[in-house]
Amino acid sequence: MKLFKLFLKNETVLCVSFLLAVLSAFVIKPDMLYLTYPDYRTIALLFCLMIIVAGFQSLGIFRMLGHFLITRAGSIRGLSVVMIFLCFFSSMVITNDVTLITFVPFTILVLRMSGRVERILKLVVLETIAANLGSMATPIGNPQNLYLYSISDLTAGEFMQAVLPYAGLSLILLVIVVFVGKDEPLLDVSVKDEPEKRAEKKAGRVLGQAMPLLLLLILCLLVVFRILPYQPVLICVILVILVIKRKLYLSVDYFLLLTFLCFFVFIGNMKRIPQVSEFLVSAVQGRELLAGILTSQIISNVPAAILLSGFSSDYSALLTGVNLGGLGTLIASLASLISFKFFVKEYPDKKVAFLKVFTIWNLLFLLVLAAEAFLIGMTAG
């Protein structure tokens, strides 16, 4: 019973999606059409990208980069800029959740060592916002982007038009927030550099080990941009990982893949119920931006993207909506829960304080970006 409760707590979205899929199966009996529900290309790409990013993470490449930059930050402001930029730009490639897993613990460690514990909460919140908003800028930055770009006919230009104005303003807002805050010197960052020769030797070895992963990432990007079919690339990734580091298979978030499958079943069945399908189409179409933002607050932006995409063809507006919808509540983007768990683990008595600061800053960013979306919509209209 305890294990079940823990699983339910940790994988709430999967449990909800599974329940919806099962209930819908009582209405639409399982048949051969079920096999046409999933978008296999998206699932294959998600699997490949997750295992490749896990490989990069196991080599410590991004942590090494963070360490290099941190040792050259001379003040709280410098440290904040470095960490926020790292989260913002690295999330475009390694996804928002992996970015936070990599850099939030590092941030807590460095600020503790520098004697600036009181700055941890705000910086972790800003890093979370940076990772969620930076990840919107590329098709592989987060699962909802990958899914929507995969199922749609959006060109690269249309994709950028839907996300870059908001990613650009986000970065400007983050920089303003950092520079408005009080600056103080770091007391003593005790993260020492390795001897130069040893560090260079280690970096060279790591880069050599990363080359197969880099080549696999390039192949995946060619699939994302519809240059290569996904089937041979999937087989290639499976075989290469089997040879170089089979333990990486344990790093894949299979529960996320199952969540996608369950939502595909649920949406596929809903489309086959005329009354439900007609109602949802009328409720979503023309309101994709608002629907994406509001639905994300309740079920998070990845399931929101899968759900709403079944009843609208305006993928550009939906893409903007679910990405902005990652701001707001703690569950609006499941990546935000990673920061929350890391922070609360170290400071369990500051759970309420984190939620308060997190909600205030997220709502402020959401209001500004939603206003930008409204203005862009008025101009386009």
Side-chain angles (χ1 to χ4, degrees), residues 113-311:
M113 289 180 169
S114 66
R116 300 298 182 186
V117 176
E118 74 282 357
R119 296 296 192 101
I120 293 176
L121 196 160
K122 182 180 177 182
L123 183 52
V124 168
V125 168
L126 292 177
E127 285 177 352
T128 307
I129 293 173
N132 284 330
L133 293 176
S135 67
M136 79 163 73
T138 65
I140 62 171
N142 51 51
Q144 68 267 19
N145 278 14
L146 182 62
Y147 168 68
L148 291 173
Y149 190 74
S150 180
I151 66 167
S152 69
D153 293 323
L154 290 174
T155 64
E158 290 170 335
F159 177 89
M160 290 188 289
Q161 186 178 358
V163 295
L164 289 189
Y166 309 100
L169 180 58
S170 301
L171 185 59
I172 293 171
L173 291 174
L174 286 164
V175 171
I176 290 173
V177 170
V178 171
F179 277 88
V180 166
K182 183 181 178 182
D183 194 19
E184 295 176 308
L186 292 175
L187 298 183
D188 177 30
V189 180
S190 303
V191 184
K192 302 297 184 183
D193 282 324
E194 295 181 73
E196 189 174 344
K197 288 185 178 180
R198 188 188 304 172
E200 289 179 359
K201 186 177 180 181
K202 181 180 178 181
R205 184 174 67 251
V206 169
L207 287 175
Q209 294 172 338
M211 284 306 299
L213 296 171
L214 183 60
L215 292 174
L216 291 178
L217 178 60
I218 292 171
L219 289 177
C220 287
L221 289 175
L222 292 176
V223 175
V224 170
F225 292 106
R226 306 183 183 98
I227 297 172
L228 292 179
Y230 76 86
Q231 297 92 337
V233 174
L234 174 62
I235 294 171
C236 184
V237 169
I238 291 173
L239 293 177
V240 171
I241 296 300
L242 193 63
V243 172
I244 64 173
K245 199 170 186 179
R246 63 186 64 185
K247 286 184 178 180
L248 291 176
Y249 286 111
L250 301 176
S251 303
V252 175
D253 187 354
Y254 295 103
F255 291 137
L256 177 61
L257 299 180
L258 285 173
T259 300
F260 267 76
L261 283 173
C262 290
F263 270 111
F264 283 137
V265 171
F266 173 68
I267 294 165
N269 285 336
M270 290 301 98
K271 283 183 175 181
R272 293 170 68 179
I273 306 173
Q275 299 88 341
V276 175
S277 180
E278 289 171 9
F279 169 75
L280 289 173
V281 168
S282 63
V284 175
Q285 284 191 354
R287 307 177 184 87
E288 288 84 0
L289 180 66
L290 183 60
I293 292 173
L294 294 180
T295 307
S296 297
Q297 305 308 307
I298 304 170
I299 63 173
S300 85
N301 53 6
V302 176
I306 303 171
L307 176 64
L308 298 175
S309 67
F311 308 100

Side-chain angles (χ1 to χ4, degrees), residues 330 336-345 351 354-355:
L330 188 63
S336 301
L337 290 170
I338 294 170
S339 298
F340 177 70
K341 288 177 181 178
F342 276 128
F343 182 84
V344 170
K345 181 182 178 181
K351 183 184 296 186
F354 183 94
L355 291 173

Side-chain angles (χ1 to χ4, degrees), residues 54-126:
F56 283 126
Q57 191 177 20
S58 71
L59 295 176
I61 289 176
F62 298 102
R63 194 172 178 86
M64 286 170 59
L65 174 62
H67 177 274
F68 174 80
L69 294 172
I70 287 298
T71 54
R72 285 150 181 81
S75 67
I76 288 293
R77 182 175 293 161
L79 173 66
S80 299
V81 169
V82 166
M83 294 311 302
I84 286 171
F85 272 56
L86 275 173
C87 289
F88 188 86
F89 289 104
S90 63
S91 67
M92 297 178 186
V93 180
I94 64 172
T95 74
N96 48 356
D97 53 350
V98 175
T99 294
L100 295 173
I101 289 171
T102 302
F103 293 120
V104 167
F106 192 45
T107 299
I108 294 173
L109 172 66
V110 170
L111 283 176
R112 272 182 169 175
M113 289 180 169
S114 66
R116 300 298 182 186
V117 176
E118 74 282 357
R119 296 296 192 101
I120 293 176
L121 196 160
K122 182 180 177 182
L123 183 52
V124 168
V125 168
L126 292 177

